[in-house]
Amino acid sequence: MKISNCLYGLLSIILLTSATLQSQSLVSHSDFFQMQGEQRTLYGENHLIQGHAYNLSVPKRQTSHTLRATEEYTVSFTLDQTAETYRIALAIFGENLPESIMLRNFSTIGEAKCKLPKGSYTMYAYYLSKDNLRHYVVFKDNVAVLRNMSIDFNVQDAKYLTEIKSYDEKSVLLQGNVVQDGKIVHRGNCKHLSTDVYFLHNKLGCLMTSFNKFYSPDYNYGIYTNDFGENISLGATVKGIKSEDGSRYFLSYSSDKAGQVLKNEPKNYAQAQQRFASTKIGKGYTSIASPAYNVWSVYDSGALSHVLMFDYDFILQDKIVSFWYDLPKSKDGRFTTLVAPAFLDQRTVIPSVQGEAKYDYRYLVGLPIRGNAQGTEYVDFGYGLWYGYAMLPDGRQSIYPGHPVFSFTEKQGVFEYGNSCPILSIITIPNGKTLLLSYTYLGRYGEVRETDAKEESTLQQNRDVQGDVVHHVIKNTNVQVDNLAGYNITTLDYNTSRSDFTPPVLQMLRFVNAEGEITDRFDSGTEGYVEFAAGDFDHVDNDKGLGYWSCKQQNVTATLYYAEHGTDSWHPLEVASKPEHYWAQGFGDFFRGALSEVAGEGGWFDLKVELKDLSDNKQTQVLSPAFYIQNPTAISPLLSKEDVKLKLEECNMQVIGLTNPQVTIYDNAGVILIDKRGNSVPVASLTDGTYLVKIAGDGNTYIKKLLISH
């Protein structure tokens, strides 16, 4: 039975649509510029407080807890109001509350009440100035509710102004337009400038998120508060695009004290200049080659929000996405910001019933970056721009620190995203006796290739069902490495009658040299290693959306094979599990193998990965081409290898290039197994394995490696 990829792309479409709708409902996009703007997603369930100048989000759920029967008390609140301010909302948080509480309805004198279980609470009152230009927050922490009581909030206590001032690399203040009464009264030097501010509690998590749309000529952001107290801190992410030259800036700030002026030091900027190679399909869309940026604000490893910044009018002629960044961690190491550069690979038209053309934008998305001039990290957390294996039980993405092996520093040097044969990572969700699938193709560095999973002309599928047995083949031909056409063929084999019929999944694969640098091109096989992660994941429905995935350690066996490119002669490649690198969130078990055993004429090689779990579910991936070795021999020949070649024909080894040579074959211990003169040497007596061959003739001596696989 054949099916199209439309059915199996359904889940990814649903996920993307859901995330897009969520982001549009959370924030106003009225400040977008033509063909340029942001899409924002908040993680978890949130109350939304909207004003003209500020959009604020109050998380509803904070921490897991066990409800216990306890007394409840009536707590009365009074929020004052001045001639200059409006009382907007009161938010209440507690470790024994299943959800945060937000009060928005007050009497004419600012009174409201609610019942609270006995316990300790954190709360704040939020006020907005009547000209919509300033906002005020009054915090109260460690409030003990032990009886019926009254609590008063005074807006005049918010007397400390926290300002954020962001400067470019030349020490020029980044400024947005200053707007009053809908009119621009001061034009800034940025066509886009946004500031996301988070108030964070060291026990309760995020208390409030503010999306700023008002700018002062003197600063990017300002907020009046009372003293935070020792448990509350502020984290902020600034994103700016200069009007003059389109330069991009990303900054991260933090403060554990109210009333501070937070500003960056231009000397701390680092500049990213990330090169991208279009996919085979993408090479036909050079006219839309624009940059984009995925931005995560992160607290305690999980994402607070995700923003996609895009500018479709800015065309990259050199396919290099460039930006300035100063993204340090907070003093306690819990808050930071990460930025992943992206490159628009393809734009397709979506038919519209209204007749207006709409587009589906498909990107190459690089790894998130954090750090500055003092050091940079490339963070591989797996993937899941909207939803994936990186989801945490609380509904956030697990972003930082990422996998400790697959993540790397700027010491990697200059590299290019997209110029490799990708792997396929498959999100699996059992639904009765059906397996829902969503596809993500990942390049050699962990970059996401969106075109591969969406382009029907290059993604073919065949799903054969015989009773409960499913054989599903997915072939992606949107692959071009240098000028060599390639493919990824993934095969799933599973039986829906089993209690566990979810196949294991391949989550990451790369090649590295002896120094640990990522590359799939080697002069000698002794220089190269293959590293990959795979896991047996179970989907968990936690009633907080679509759920998350758990992973069993050492529940997957992995086998590798290689073949010279374009052939179907597969040879085993030894691989070992490394339990010390197991990473449950998004990766699973870690495996490593050496390329020193690879034998052949030299050039490109294909790779086959076979995975099997304890329930006998299987996944196989063929990557073509996968890696390049100029000299596949483990020991370099004494003379040029081009002078003499070895060829296996049935049970004989043929020596080509010499006349009647003396041939000696050794095992790995140096023991002579065969010593014979002639161009044809019988090797039927040799078991599978790798052997050292010494060839002497015409006054020269050569040493080569021979791989035998019956």
Side-chain angles (χ1 to χ4, degrees):
M1 178 177 71
K2 292 185 176 181
I3 62 169
S4 71
N5 67 309
C6 297
L7 177 61
Y8 282 83
L10 179 62
L11 179 60
S12 61
I13 293 171
I14 292 172
L15 298 180
L16 181 59
T17 302
S18 172
T20 303
L21 291 175
Q22 183 189 19
S23 68
Q24 291 173 346
S25 66
L26 286 171
V27 297
S28 169
H29 298 276
S30 61
D31 61 335
F32 285 3
F33 291 82
Q34 186 177 7
M35 302 302 289
Q36 176 271 316
E38 294 184 0
Q39 293 180 349
R40 180 182 287 109
T41 299
L42 288 175
Y43 291 95
E45 299 182 33
N46 296 270
H47 303 287
L48 181 65
I49 306 171
Q50 290 183 316
H52 287 117
Y54 306 94
N55 289 327
L56 283 90
S57 170
V58 181
K60 292 174 65 178
R61 288 192 173 134
Q62 296 299 310
T63 58
S64 59
H65 62 280
T66 301
L67 287 177
R68 293 173 293 182
T70 184
E71 295 182 75
E72 286 191 335
Y73 300 103
T74 299
V75 182
S76 301
F77 302 93
T78 301
L79 277 67
D80 66 333
Q81 181 172 289
T82 69
E84 302 296 326
T85 61
Y86 291 115
R87 62 179 79 88
I88 302 298
L90 171 70
I92 306 168
F93 302 80
E95 292 184 342
N96 59 342
L97 287 179
E99 296 181 348
S100 59
I101 297 173
M102 185 175 68
L103 304 178
R104 300 185 66 175
N105 296 318
F106 305 97
S107 69
T108 55
I109 57 174
E111 291 184 342
K113 63 178 60 179
C114 69
K115 288 188 176 293
L116 294 176
K118 179 181 178 181
S120 180
Y121 295 88
T122 298
M123 52 190 71
Y124 61 83
Y126 167 66
Y127 302 83
L128 182 66
S129 65
K130 293 184 177 181
D131 58 6
N132 292 316
L133 297 182
R134 298 172 304 282
H135 60 161
Y136 306 81
V137 184
V138 179
F139 292 96
K140 293 184 183 292
D141 194 24
N142 294 321
V143 178
V145 175
L146 306 175
R147 60 186 182 280
N148 296 336
M149 60 188 301
S150 298
I151 300 174
D152 295 337
F153 286 86
N154 190 336
V155 68
Q156 295 181 350
D157 290 338
K159 57 186 178 181
Y160 300 104
L161 173 62
T162 296
E163 302 175 9
I164 295 177
K165 298 182 178 182
S166 300
Y167 297 86
D168 68 9
E169 76 282 10
K170 298 178 181 178
S171 299
V172 177
L173 181 68
L174 300 176
Q175 295 177 297
N177 295 332
V178 179
V179 180
Q180 290 183 352
D181 299 325
K183 298 180 180 180
I184 298 177
V185 297
H186 182 275
R187 189 167 295 278
N189 56 10
C190 291
K191 67 176 181 178
H192 182 85
L193 185 66
S194 59
T195 305
D196 301 342
V197 174
Y198 307 88
F199 284 98
L200 307 161
H201 193 282
N202 58 19
K203 296 178 181 178
L204 299 170
C206 185
L207 303 176
M208 187 181 78
T209 303
S210 170
F211 306 123
N212 182 44
K213 298 192 299 181
F214 170 76
Y215 305 99
S216 161
D218 302 316
Y219 54 80
N220 308 145
Y221 175 90
I223 186 170
Y224 291 87
T225 69
N226 62 336
D227 188 0
F228 297 161
E230 61 181 12
N231 294 319
I232 299 173
S233 61
L234 177 150
T237 297
V238 175
K239 309 172 291 294
I241 305 177
K242 293 281 287 291
S243 301
E244 180 182 3
D245 57 5
S247 296
R248 270 75 170 167
Y249 301 87
F250 299 95
L251 302 107
S252 182
Y253 299 93
S254 60
S255 176
D256 57 3
K257 187 178 180 181
Q260 302 297 297
V261 178
L262 307 179
K263 57 184 180 179
N264 65 306
E265 291 287 344
K267 66 180 181 181
N268 289 333
Y269 271 125
Q271 187 178 27
Q273 292 186 312
Q274 184 57 63
R275 182 176 297 277
F276 287 81
S278 302
T279 67
K280 184 165 66 175
I281 290 291
K283 294 182 186 300
Y285 291 84
T286 57
S287 63
I288 53 93
S290 60
Y293 307 86
N294 289 278
V295 185
W296 292 268
S297 299
V298 178
Y299 186 69
D300 279 349
S301 82
L304 299 170
S305 68
H306 167 249
V307 174
L308 171 62
M309 290 184 61
F310 50 87
D311 188 351
Y312 301 140
D313 285 341
F314 193 88
I315 306 302
L316 300 171
Q317 302 297 333
D318 54 7
K319 299 183 179 180
I320 295 177
V321 179
S322 176
F323 59 96
W324 296 93
Y325 61 97
D326 183 9
L327 304 171
K329 296 180 189 176
S330 60
K331 185 167 61 177
D332 60 5
R334 300 175 71 176
F335 178 84
T336 191
T337 301
L338 293 92
V339 179
F343 174 82
L344 184 57
D345 186 59
Q346 185 190 22
R347 184 183 69 189
T348 61
V349 178
I350 303 174
S352 175
V353 294
Q354 289 82 17
E356 181 181 351
K358 296 184 178 181
Y359 299 101
D360 180 22
Y361 298 93
R362 303 167 181 180
Y363 290 93
L364 284 165
V365 185
L367 292 187
I369 293 173
R370 67 147 304 277
N372 51 24
Q374 280 69 56
T376 295
E377 297 176 75
Y378 292 80
V379 181
D380 191 347
F381 67 89
Y383 66 91
L385 302 180
W386 306 105
Y387 184 73
Y389 286 107
M391 298 305 295
L392 293 166
D394 65 4
R396 298 180 300 157
Q397 283 183 303
S398 177
I399 301 296
Y400 187 78
H403 195 284
V405 178
F406 294 127
S407 302
F408 53 90
T409 69
E410 73 275 17
K411 295 179 181 178
Q412 169 66 35
V414 179
F415 61 95
E416 184 176 55
Y417 288 128
N419 190 28
S420 62
C421 181
I423 68 164
L424 173 58
S425 177
I426 304 176
I427 291 177
T428 58
I429 300 179
N431 183 23
K433 296 188 71 173
T434 302
L435 193 60
L436 302 178
L437 306 174
S438 179
Y439 304 154
T440 300
Y441 283 93
L442 303 171
R444 198 67 71 236
Y445 296 90
E447 69 270 26
V448 175
R449 300 163 55 107
E450 293 183 347
T451 306
D452 291 17
K454 295 182 177 182
E455 180 54 44
E456 293 188 20
S457 67
T458 56
L459 187 68
Q460 297 90 39
Q461 301 189 70
N462 187 293
R463 185 170 177 265
D464 183 70
V465 181
Q466 302 293 332
D468 295 323
V469 178
V470 180
H471 179 74
H472 187 178
V473 181
I474 309 115
K475 184 176 183 180
N476 170 27
T477 58
N478 187 34
V479 177
Q480 185 169 318
V481 183
D482 295 340
N483 293 316
L484 189 63
Y487 57 83
N488 174 297
I489 298 177
T490 299
T491 305
L492 306 176
D493 291 285
Y494 57 96
N495 190 323
T496 60
S497 67
R498 301 172 183 140
S499 59
D500 170 24
F501 61 87
T502 303
V505 291
L506 184 62
Q507 298 290 66
M508 179 60 188
L509 185 144
R510 70 180 189 178
F511 300 92
V512 297
N513 61 21
E515 287 72 41
E517 297 175 328
I518 303 170
T519 179
D520 50 18
R521 295 159 172 83
F522 307 93
D523 292 330
S524 170
T526 58
E527 303 172 354
Y529 300 87
V530 57
E531 299 175 336
F532 62 98
D536 187 24
F537 290 85
D538 290 326
H539 182 258
V540 181
D541 187 354
N542 60 354
D543 297 324
K544 295 183 179 181
L546 292 173
Y548 66 100
W549 285 263
S550 64
C551 181
K552 308 178 186 72
Q553 186 173 5
Q554 295 183 324
N555 211 40
V556 175
T557 57
T559 309
L560 287 188
Y561 301 88
Y562 74 91
E564 293 183 272
H565 178 62
T567 73
D568 201 29
S569 180
W570 294 101
H571 309 287
L573 191 64
E574 187 175 349
V575 63
S577 174
K578 301 291 183 180
E580 65 272 22
H581 299 320
Y582 169 78
W583 198 257
Q585 200 67 49
F587 290 93
D589 293 313
F590 183 91
F591 302 87
R592 194 169 197 259
L595 302 183
S596 57
E597 302 300 313
V598 174
E601 293 298 322
W604 283 101
F605 291 83
D606 299 340
L607 188 73
K608 181 192 292 185
V609 185
E610 292 185 352
L611 306 174
K612 183 178 176 182
D613 66 17
L614 298 180
S615 299
D616 207 33
N617 304 301
K618 301 176 183 177
Q619 182 188 143
T620 300
Q621 291 199 30
V622 176
L623 313 180
S624 178
F627 60 94
Y628 181 93
I629 301 181
Q630 181 68 33
N631 175 22
T633 58
I635 299 177
S636 299
L638 301 181
L639 295 176
S640 173
K641 74 179 183 70
E642 300 299 328
D643 294 344
V644 174
K645 298 181 185 281
L646 300 180
K647 185 178 180 181
L648 284 174
E649 291 183 354
E650 297 182 351
C651 295
N652 296 302
M653 181 189 73
Q654 305 294 332
V655 181
I656 302 171
L658 295 175
T659 302
N660 198 29
Q662 184 69 37
V663 180
T664 308
I665 301 178
Y666 305 81
D667 65 12
N668 290 331
V671 177
I672 297 177
L673 303 178
I674 297 175
D675 190 21
K676 187 180 184 305
R677 180 172 292 278
N679 289 85
S680 182
V681 180
V683 293
S685 62
L686 301 179
T687 59
D688 290 358
T690 305
Y691 300 86
L692 187 68
V693 183
K694 180 181 176 183
I695 309 164
D698 299 342
N700 297 317
T701 301
Y702 303 82
I703 297 178
K704 293 181 173 290
K705 275 212 165 184
L706 173 68
L707 175 67
I708 292 182
S709 176
H710 292 293

